[in-house]
Amino acid sequence: MNSVKQAPKPPIIGSPVLAGVVFSIIWLAAGALLLSLMLHFSSMKESNLGTYSLLVHSVSALAGGLTSGKRSERKGWYNGGLLGLIYGVIVMIVSFLAANAAPSWNSALILGVALLAGALGGIVGVNLRK
């Protein structure tokens, strides 16, 4: 019998915001894969892709904000909003580098949606801890 209590293991990714960014990118990859499969195997048209991609970005930021808020244990809206801002900037940089897409109203919309979804996810994530 071992009466010594084991200390809990620290998380692999220490920063809550960095962990949220990693989780949001994982969700983005899964959503992009799902969209491409839907585009290939269903009757979905490419003209509808913009709406669905905005949905994927918002779900990704929400999931990342949830992770960030759950790990931070306080100031969930701040950590989630910061995550959404970082996520939106990463998406804008990747779209500029991959497709040479200049910043437009669409990228501002994605940035705003990611900011709000990340903040909402952070709020919910902090409250899941209790």
Side-chain angles (χ1 to χ4, degrees):
M1 287 194 279
N2 191 359
S3 62
V4 178
K5 291 184 180 180
Q6 296 290 332
K9 285 185 175 179
I12 294 173
I13 302 173
S15 169
V17 176
L18 184 61
V21 168
V22 169
F23 275 92
S24 64
I25 289 174
I26 290 170
W27 275 87
L28 175 64
L33 180 66
L34 179 69
L35 275 181
S36 64
L37 289 174
M38 284 175 52
L39 191 63
H40 182 67
F41 291 115
S42 73
S43 62
M44 189 172 96
K45 296 181 176 31
E46 283 188 34
S47 59
N48 298 337
L49 207 53
T51 306
Y52 290 118
S53 68
L54 189 63
L55 180 69
V56 167
H57 286 302
S58 61
V59 168
S60 299
L62 184 74
L66 191 88
T67 302
S68 178
K70 193 172 179 182
R71 288 184 180 221
S72 70
E73 298 179 0
R74 59 186 179 92
K75 291 187 183 179
W77 66 270
Y78 176 76
N79 287 312
L82 184 62
L83 162 99
L85 188 66
I86 291 170
Y87 173 80
V89 168
I90 288 173
V91 167
M92 286 175 53
I93 289 172
V94 168
S95 68
F96 174 72
L97 293 175
N100 202 15
S104 64
W105 287 110
N106 190 28
S107 56
L109 179 66
I110 289 174
L111 187 64
V113 165
L115 180 74
L116 291 175
L120 179 67
I123 291 169
V124 171
V126 165
N127 290 319
L128 283 178
R129 200 70 154 141
K130 296 178 183 176

